[in-house]
């Protein structure tokens, strides 16, 4: 059986089933029928197969349908707020206010003169009469100034009496002779 190839590549028989040869060029009619097989989820993009019955699903799951709805309704509220002036316009930059607090701490030192109870450069040596004399004079001055409180007078008196007793015991003729 003769066959000739049509323009679209279809293999066509040269004669009809009764053996009569075809004349002229074949008229090819093509009908295309499309059927939805699957679509992607409007939320996650996963492929959702379509059985061909009912409305094709827009989402893979109820959860993704709800999420998409939440976003759409939020977008609608945002748009409404923008129109009412209650929301910033799209593309408007977020402004930040930064408050800077600088704390300066100044530390200063002051020299404070602390009065010494006795202006003595070095302790008087007991064996040096001049030093002891000077020291005792300073003690007297300190008592007069009140540097040595009255509650300490008794112990001071005991020391002075001990000195007087020592002199009385050692000076020829005792204290009476010394005073006279
Ligand atoms: Zn999904």
């Amino acid at each position: 059986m003769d066959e000739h190839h049509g323009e679209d590549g279809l293999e066509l028989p040269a004669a009809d089933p009764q053996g009569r040869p075809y004349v002229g060029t074949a008229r090819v009619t093509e009908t295309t029928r499309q059927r939805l097989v699957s679509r992607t989820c409007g939320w996650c993009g996963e492929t959702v197969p379509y059985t061909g019955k009912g409305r094709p699903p827009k989402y893979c799951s109820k959860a993704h349908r709800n999420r998409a709805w939440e976003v759409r309704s939020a977008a609608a509220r945002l748009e409404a707020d923008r129109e009412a002036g209650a929301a910033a316009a799209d593309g408007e930059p977020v402004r930040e206010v930064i408050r800077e607090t600088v704390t300066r701490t100044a530390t200063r030192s002051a020299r404070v003169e602390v009065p010494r109870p006795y202006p003595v450069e070095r302790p008087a040596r007991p064996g040096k009469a001049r030093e002891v004399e000077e020291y005792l004079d300073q003690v007297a001055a300190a008592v007069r100034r009140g540097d040595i409180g009255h509650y300490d007078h008794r112990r001071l008196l005991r020391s002075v009496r001990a000195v007087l007793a020592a002199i009385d015991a050692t000076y020829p003729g005792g204290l009476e002779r010394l005073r006279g």
Side-chain angles (χ1 to χ4, degrees):
M1 203 186 286
D2 260 14
E3 287 182 347
H4 87 267
H5 295 273
E7 290 172 8
D8 52 3
L10 288 174
E11 288 188 358
L12 299 172
D16 71 2
Q18 282 74 43
R20 294 170 294 201
Y22 288 127
V23 293
T25 52
R27 186 161 164 266
V28 179
T29 312
E30 193 174 281
T31 304
T32 306
R33 216 174 127 260
Q34 288 183 333
R35 191 180 79 80
L36 180 65
V37 173
S38 70
R39 77 194 317 180
T40 52
C41 171
W43 181 257
C44 69
E46 277 294 310
T47 300
V48 187
Y50 176 52
T51 57
K53 290 174 185 169
R55 270 197 302 166
K58 289 181 178 175
Y59 303 95
C60 70
S61 62
K62 203 170 181 181
H64 286 184
R65 173 185 295 280
N66 289 340
R67 286 180 200 183
W69 180 83
E70 284 161 12
V71 168
R72 277 201 310 277
S73 61
R77 284 196 298 276
L78 178 62
E79 192 55 42
D81 279 0
R82 274 175 183 158
E83 283 171 6
D90 195 17
E92 192 172 316
V94 174
R95 288 179 294 270
E96 289 182 335
V97 175
I98 296 169
R99 179 169 293 124
E100 186 181 69
T101 304
V102 178
T103 304
R104 286 198 181 83
T105 305
T107 306
R108 296 199 301 178
S109 299
R111 195 180 297 277
V112 178
E113 295 292 342
V114 179
R116 292 185 187 183
Y118 316 110
V120 178
E121 291 302 319
R122 57 178 171 81
R125 287 168 290 182
K128 302 292 179 180
R130 283 185 187 280
E131 290 180 14
V132 173
E133 180 187 10
E134 191 182 332
Y135 181 74
L136 289 177
D137 286 347
Q138 290 169 7
V139 170
V143 171
R144 288 188 186 281
R145 281 198 307 270
D147 292 346
I148 297 176
H150 58 84
Y151 43 83
D152 278 331
H153 288 180
R154 188 179 299 277
R155 71 168 60 191
L156 224 57
L157 180 62
R158 193 167 59 237
S159 297
V160 172
R161 274 183 177 151
V163 172
L164 291 174
I167 292 171
D168 189 40
T170 53
Y171 190 77
L175 271 179
E176 291 301 319
R177 180 82 183 273
L178 191 57
R179 282 191 176 122

